[in-house]
Amino acid sequence: MKQALEKLQEVNKLLSDNAKEEKELGLLHGKLGLIIYFFQFGRKTNNHLFLEVAEDLVGELFEKLNQAKLSADFENGFAGIAYGISYMVNSDFVEADLDNTLSDIDDRIFKYIEEQNNKLPANLQRGIIGYLLYSLNRLEYSLKSGHKTNILIFQKLSAKLLNQLGQLIEEEKIQDREPQLFNIFWDLPLVLIVLAKAKSLNVNTSKIDRILDYLLPSLLSLLPNLHSNRLYLLLGIELFLKEKNIPELKKHAIFLKESIDLECIFNNECKNLNIKVMDGVSGLKLIGEKLAEITGDNYFIPRYELIFNKINNAVCWDETEFYSPFKKSIGLVSGLSGIGWTLLENKCSNLDRVKVINSDIVKP
């Protein structure tokens, strides 16, 4: 336990040192992901210093949003930022009326999507899957807030994006083949995840059913070579099965589950540097926990010793100049914020022992 707390301290020190530097603003690789992690850490450990720094960084974020020339995409741009801000509001990290707060960002995203005129790729980073995650998230909030105009707007936008995604799938322009190494950006599981979300919100359900009918033959014949990819694909399938019972797909889900060896994933498939959310044990831990949540089967939750040993023993902590870019990476999926979150979420009863002295964190 002492080693785990020391590693978490090390990660927090590196993040704190880099918090005041000029970085990208985005959700996946930039300061917004760092802010969310600081809020999460501060709340979990009742550390008011981290909460204060997160609040200061929120102010900096909104100030720079008005000045920055950002893209519209989910990876580095406005769609991901809107999604992250929504997460902070829904988690009660910040107080805001999202419909008002995000109105300018919404307008910029609408304009960009319209300008693309059906030329967007499918992927999460800069394509339709990312914009769908944003649009469905905004629709869900608008349904809760009762903002009728926004409900209509985001229903229409989500339906439009689903139509475009369906067209790309029929044209075989998505990454449906298994990647050579586990990667959180694999299109096929992400497609199932956004289809499940859209179906839960009753958006263009007939189109969703047609897309699934088209995908079903390849899904039923797919057994990824890597156990980590099987785990990720299973998450997408299980999320969709929550919204619609398809017996043959359920049977394939059982087959996939029985073929997954968690020990093989963490001992063999994840190499020394595979510790980030994007391509390593931090992302696989999140996937396993989500699967356990929706299926009620704790088999999918990897032993914490597997996760921690892989993170703690990674060569990237070495004091060589070669690994200095890694130690400056603040990203939620590509850097230290996601790794810190993984260490934080180990459900350790001693996390309240974590102490951070004032010199450990410098306000920007």
Side-chain angles (χ1 to χ4, degrees):
M1 187 52 61
K2 181 180 178 182
Q3 276 189 313
L5 296 177
E6 288 174 350
K7 182 57 66 177
L8 186 56
Q9 283 273 56
E10 180 182 351
V11 169
N12 285 340
K13 181 65 165 62
L14 290 168
L15 286 170
S16 301
D17 289 344
N18 286 286
K20 56 185 179 293
E21 295 185 5
E22 288 296 322
K23 299 283 184 180
E24 293 179 352
L25 300 179
L27 173 64
L28 302 189
H29 309 303
K31 278 201 172 178
L32 181 52
L34 173 66
I35 292 167
I36 291 172
Y37 169 67
F38 276 178
F39 271 126
Q40 195 74 15
F41 181 88
R43 176 177 289 179
K44 286 276 186 179
T45 62
N46 198 30
N47 190 305
H48 296 288
L49 184 56
F50 270 80
L51 293 174
E52 290 174 10
V53 172
E55 289 169 0
D56 289 345
L57 288 171
V58 168
E60 176 191 323
L61 174 76
F62 277 101
E63 182 179 332
K64 291 185 175 180
L65 277 180
N66 295 325
Q67 307 166 0
K69 294 181 179 179
L70 294 176
S71 59
D73 62 55
F74 195 90
E75 183 175 28
N76 296 311
F78 287 118
I81 287 171
Y83 191 93
I85 291 172
S86 177
Y87 177 85
M88 290 193 295
V89 170
N90 290 324
S91 300
D92 295 322
F93 291 144
V94 296
E95 293 184 10
D97 182 319
L98 280 178
D99 292 324
N100 292 329
T101 302
L102 297 179
S103 59
D104 289 341
I105 290 177
D106 290 336
D107 289 343
R108 296 189 196 191
I109 296 171
F110 298 158
K111 181 180 179 182
Y112 178 78
I113 293 174
E114 191 64 32
E115 288 174 348
Q116 291 309 295
N117 193 26
N118 298 330
K119 296 178 182 178
L120 289 169
N123 61 55
L124 169 71
Q125 301 96 303
R126 292 171 292 279
I128 292 172
I129 295 172
Y131 291 113
L132 259 173
L133 281 176
Y134 149 78
S135 183
L136 293 169
N137 180 265
R138 293 289 289 114
L139 173 59
E140 187 173 32
Y141 178 84
S142 298
L143 287 166
K144 291 177 181 177
S145 69
H147 195 302
K148 294 182 179 180
T149 300
N150 275 1
I151 290 171
L152 293 174
I153 289 172
F154 289 110
Q155 282 177 334
K156 183 177 179 180
L157 177 60
S158 298
K160 175 182 177 179
L161 290 169
L162 280 170
N163 283 330
Q164 292 182 23
L165 181 61
Q167 184 66 33
L168 291 178
I169 290 171
E170 290 179 11
E171 294 173 359
E172 300 184 352
K173 292 182 179 178
I174 69 164
Q175 183 201 2
D176 54 358
R177 292 184 179 181
E178 174 190 8
Q180 291 185 339
L181 299 172
F182 166 74
N183 192 292
I184 206 79
F185 296 132
W186 182 17
D187 284 352
L188 185 56
L190 289 168
V191 165
L192 293 170
I193 289 168
V194 295
L195 291 180
K197 187 65 177 179
K199 199 163 187 66
S200 74
L201 295 172
N202 201 33
V203 176
N204 209 0
T205 55
S206 58
K207 182 64 177 181
I208 293 170
D209 290 341
R210 288 198 299 274
I211 292 174
L212 203 281
D213 287 343
Y214 188 89
L215 287 173
L216 197 56
S218 58
L219 278 174
L220 296 178
S221 64
L222 180 57
L223 176 64
N225 181 53
L226 295 180
H227 293 255
S228 49
N229 287 334
R230 295 175 193 178
L231 190 75
Y232 194 18
L233 179 61
L234 180 60
L235 174 62
I237 290 173
E238 289 287 3
L239 281 169
F240 193 86
L241 287 171
K242 276 189 65 182
E243 305 305 325
K244 183 176 182 179
N245 182 32
I246 303 175
E248 59 267 45
L249 191 58
K250 182 63 177 177
K251 184 177 179 180
H252 191 59
I254 294 170
F255 172 67
L256 278 175
K257 179 198 168 182
E258 292 174 345
S259 73
I260 293 170
D261 184 339
L262 291 180
E263 299 285 330
C264 178
I265 292 174
F266 294 99
N267 291 329
N268 300 327
E269 293 181 2
C270 291
K271 306 306 180 184
N272 192 274
L273 293 173
N274 297 135
I275 63 174
K276 296 176 288 187
V277 169
M278 182 170 66
D279 59 3
V281 296
S282 295
L284 289 161
K285 177 177 180 290
L286 292 173
I287 290 169
E289 289 181 340
K290 186 62 179 179
L291 267 170
E293 176 189 327
I294 62 179
T295 64
D297 190 341
N298 289 335
Y299 169 79
F300 298 110
I301 301 178
R303 291 187 294 109
Y304 181 67
E305 290 78 15
L306 286 174
I307 303 293
F308 174 71
N309 288 337
K310 185 66 69 173
I311 291 175
N312 191 50
N313 296 326
V315 69
C316 49
W317 305 111
D318 288 354
E319 294 297 329
T320 58
E321 186 65 23
F322 183 79
Y323 295 110
S324 60
F326 165 79
K327 294 180 180 179
K328 294 181 180 179
S329 61
I330 64 173
L332 200 57
V333 302
S334 59
L336 295 170
S337 292
I339 296 169
W341 197 327
T342 300
L343 292 169
L344 179 65
E345 293 293 323
N346 65 61
K347 305 189 186 306
C348 164
S349 61
N350 292 321
L351 272 177
D352 59 345
R353 291 166 47 199
V354 176
K355 304 294 182 183
V356 182
I357 60 174
N358 288 342
S359 61
D360 280 339
I361 188 162
V362 182
K363 289 188 178 184

